């Protein structure tokens, strides 16, 4: 899956994650259990993301960090399933699960404006941009809420596998 995403990015002249692939794969075996995968009956694992209850030490105010929140990062999907929007399924699953777990917010950040637009289409709001040494980060948040994902998950996709 990670190799397919890298090839897709490279074919379009976009910055690839090829140098990070080994680390992304290794994260799936981490003992913290914070890597979640999206399974598709016919294709196996089609997405993965980190879901953590502590965000990065930058980009969020002290007040924001004090609020119960889940932080999404490392989202990666198979490019051939864009019509089924696996990234949206994973984000909405996290929003729903956070609400059902009593967590008030789901937060995320990304480095690329195109990815930020995609995240905004999932109902996230741009909170601020943060300039880091070599990158501008888009800091986004969405209030947790219970969502009906039955139509999305009825297509043979399951998001209940934690690794």
């Amino acid at each position: 899956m990670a190799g397919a995403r890298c090839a897709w990015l490279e074919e379009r002249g976009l910055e690839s994650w090829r140098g990070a692939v080994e680390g992304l794969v290794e994260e799936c075996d981490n003992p913290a259990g914070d890597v979640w995968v999206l399974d598709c009956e016919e294709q196996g694992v089609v997405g993965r993301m980190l879901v953590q209850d502590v965000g990065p030490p930058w980009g969020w105010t002290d007040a924001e960090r004090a609020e119960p929140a889940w932080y999404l990062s490392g989202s990666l999907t198979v490019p051939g399933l864009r019509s089924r929007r696996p990234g949206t399924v994973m984000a909405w699953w996290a929003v729903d699960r956070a609400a059902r777990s009593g967590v008030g917010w789901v937060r995320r950040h990304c480095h690329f404006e195109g990815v930020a637009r995609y995240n905004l289409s999932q109902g996230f709001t741009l909170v601020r941009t943060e300039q880091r040494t070599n990158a501008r980060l888009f800091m986004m948040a969405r209030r947790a809420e219970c969502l009906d994902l039955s139509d999305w998950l009825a297509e043979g996709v399951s998001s209940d596998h934690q690794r």
Side-chain angles (χ1 to χ4, degrees):
M1 176 183 64
R5 174 54 68 180
C6 289
W8 185 90
L9 291 166
E10 292 159 359
E11 288 167 6
R12 286 154 182 77
L14 301 170
E15 187 174 335
S16 176
W17 298 356
R18 189 147 322 265
V21 167
E22 187 175 314
L24 292 168
V25 172
E26 288 174 1
E27 281 179 348
C28 293
D29 287 331
N30 93 39
D34 53 3
V35 176
W36 289 79
V37 299
L38 181 66
D39 279 341
C40 177
E41 287 178 8
E42 60 273 3
Q43 294 187 327
V45 175
V46 297
R48 55 91 62 189
M49 72 178 169
L50 239 53
V51 181
Q52 299 174 312
D53 57 6
V54 176
W58 36 260
W60 302 103
T61 66
D62 290 341
E64 289 165 338
R65 280 193 295 275
E67 298 171 322
W70 282 0
Y71 295 85
L72 308 183
S73 64
S75 296
L76 183 66
T77 60
V78 171
L81 293 177
R82 291 180 72 196
S83 65
R84 292 173 69 181
R85 297 187 64 170
T88 298
V89 172
M90 292 189 310
W92 287 354
W93 169 86
V95 168
D96 177 73
R97 189 167 175 96
R100 294 176 195 278
S101 299
V103 175
W105 290 95
V106 176
R107 297 189 173 120
R108 64 188 329 168
H109 69 275
C110 65
H111 298 95
F112 303 105
E113 194 169 342
V115 175
R117 277 193 304 272
Y118 183 63
N119 293 342
L120 295 172
S121 78
Q122 300 165 350
F124 285 84
T125 300
L126 180 64
V127 177
R128 69 184 58 83
T129 59
E130 167 94 3
Q131 185 62 47
R132 303 296 296 162
T133 303
N134 295 314
R136 181 174 64 147
L137 300 179
F138 299 88
M139 312 303 290
M140 292 164 277
R142 179 173 173 171
R143 211 170 257 296
E145 63 179 306
C146 293
L147 300 172
D148 180 4
L149 301 175
S150 57
D151 288 343
W152 289 85
L153 299 178
E155 293 184 29
V157 176
S158 169
S159 59
D160 292 331
H161 294 80
Q162 185 176 15
R163 297 248 168 124

